[in-house]
Amino acid sequence: MLFLTDKVVNLKAWQFYLGNSIFTFLVGLILVVLSKILGIFNVSLPKFAKQLERFESQNNNAFVMFYAPWCGHCKMAKPKLESCLGGIAVDHKEYKKGNFRKHNGKTAIVMVNGDEEGSLAKKYDVEGYPTFLLLKGVKNKNTLAADKVIPYEGGRSREEIEDFIKSNE
């Protein structure tokens, strides 16, 4: 119920007439204007964006496959990884751009070409291909800086990789 000058207005009736999206927009607009006029909330958009970014950066995990295009084992493992968890695996270039999905909102599957990104492979002591790592608490998409690194040394089947990712979320 919304009170306007001693009259009670039924919100459901307004929703029916205006439609859900328009009604929600109008109510939101009114609340924003009132909050600015009355000084109820003091939230700026840049501050909100930083808070949202900080919230999104929590619990970010990445299951990473370091590969080389010339490696036969990588060529066999890559399609299995790409089909994991509904096909959410992306190349590191797309991951850096933010073009990825996370399993359960926590873990992204990222494939890093070790030949092209040698400094990243060196950072994680990649000595052979393919190398699988689970990076927990990723703070930076560009460098894949993480709080904890868990090497994956299990089987190469899609099911085994999925089970490992799910058990470590």
Side-chain angles (χ1 to χ4, degrees), residues 102-120:
K102 295 186 281 185
H103 179 257
N104 286 339
K106 296 179 183 176
T107 306
I109 300 176
V110 184
M111 295 177 289
V112 178
N113 184 334
D115 287 348
E116 290 179 0
E117 302 193 47
S119 60
L120 194 56

Side-chain angles (χ1 to χ4, degrees), residues 15-67:
Q15 253 181 324
F16 176 77
Y17 290 113
L18 295 173
N20 251 345
S21 59
I22 295 172
F23 178 76
T24 305
F25 170 76
L26 290 174
V27 169
L29 182 63
I30 291 168
L31 289 175
V32 168
V33 170
L34 285 175
S35 68
K36 288 294 183 185
I37 292 171
L38 301 174
I40 297 171
F41 301 109
N42 189 16
V43 177
S44 67
L45 287 179
K47 186 186 283 186
F48 176 72
K50 283 182 184 177
Q51 289 171 345
L52 181 63
E53 185 178 315
R54 194 175 315 122
F55 175 75
E56 287 179 344
S57 70
Q58 295 172 351
N59 296 325
N60 280 342
N61 300 333
F63 184 78
V64 181
M65 173 186 162
F66 287 93
Y67 72 95

Side-chain angles (χ1 to χ4, degrees), residues 83-86 157-167:
S83 67
C84 273
L85 304 169
S157 75
R158 181 179 58 83
E159 292 81 14
E160 291 169 311
I161 294 170
E162 284 180 349
D163 289 343
F164 176 78
I165 293 171
K166 289 176 184 176
S167 67

